[in-house]
């Protein structure tokens, strides 16, 4: 079992930045592929970014490429999502997710929330115009 705890959400003006953190309880953190998803009211959970267990491979939704950066520190059991140039449409609850494997052999598997085994409680990100 893996417990995930997100932090770093908040209210920011358009064009601003936030850094989300997700701390995992598991020791072999490098054996977990990690992802960030968001969910706005009335909408489905949506992929934002993912990273392999070693940190060598990253994936992004098209709408965040060039603005968001996912990274991880395996010594601290933590994954980050640096969000720059935020837009009002980025407003949502952001969730950290872990897959019980270090990588997926098909990149498309990172994008599907159904392939992740553990989820945090979510952190609210609100971007004002």
């Amino acid at each position: 079992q893996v417990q995930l705890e997100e932090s770093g959400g908040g209210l920011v003006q358009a064009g601003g930045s936030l850094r989300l953190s997700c701390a995992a309880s598991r020791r072999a953190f490098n054996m977990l592929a990690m992802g960030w998803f968001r969910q706005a009211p009335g909408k489905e959970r949506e992929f934002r970014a993912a990273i392999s267990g070693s940190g060598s491979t990253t994936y992004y939704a098209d709408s965040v490429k060039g603005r968001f950066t996912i990274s991880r520190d395996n010594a601290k059991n933590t994954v980050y999502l640096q969000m720059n140039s935020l837009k009002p449409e980025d407003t949502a609850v952001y969730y950290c997710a872990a897959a019980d494997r270090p990588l997926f052999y098909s990149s498309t598997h990172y994008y599907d929330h159904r392939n992740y085994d553990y989820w945090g409680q979510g952190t609210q990100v609100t971007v004002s115009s």
Side-chain angles (χ1 to χ4, degrees):
Q1 191 74 0
V2 178
Q3 294 184 338
L4 303 173
E5 184 171 359
E6 301 102 332
S7 61
L11 173 64
V12 65
Q13 288 188 333
S17 298
L18 284 173
R19 187 173 85 153
L20 306 183
S21 299
C22 173
S25 61
R26 182 149 145 184
R27 282 188 176 180
F29 184 62
N30 63 330
M31 296 304 290
L32 301 174
M34 301 296 295
W36 285 97
F37 292 77
R38 71 170 183 187
Q39 190 164 19
K43 295 189 176 181
E44 292 191 356
R45 199 159 291 192
E46 188 178 21
F47 172 77
R48 299 291 81 193
I51 188 167
S52 61
S54 67
S56 61
T57 310
T58 57
Y59 303 87
Y60 296 94
D62 287 344
S63 59
V64 307
K65 284 179 182 176
R67 300 190 299 125
F68 291 11
T69 302
I70 189 171
S71 62
R72 65 192 297 157
D73 185 338
N74 286 345
K76 295 182 178 179
N77 286 14
T78 302
V79 64
Y80 305 96
L81 185 67
Q82 177 67 43
M83 304 186 295
N84 298 329
S85 302
L86 282 161
K87 306 174 182 179
E89 51 264 42
D90 293 316
T91 295
V93 177
Y94 281 69
Y95 294 92
C96 170
D100 213 350
R101 57 195 305 162
L103 57 87
F104 294 106
Y105 291 106
S106 171
S107 60
T108 58
H109 290 177
Y110 286 94
Y111 307 147
D112 188 342
H113 64 88
R114 295 170 296 181
N115 292 324
Y116 291 81
D117 302 294
Y118 308 103
W119 291 84
Q121 80 287 353
T123 184
Q124 176 70 46
V125 171
T126 303
V127 184
S128 63
S129 57

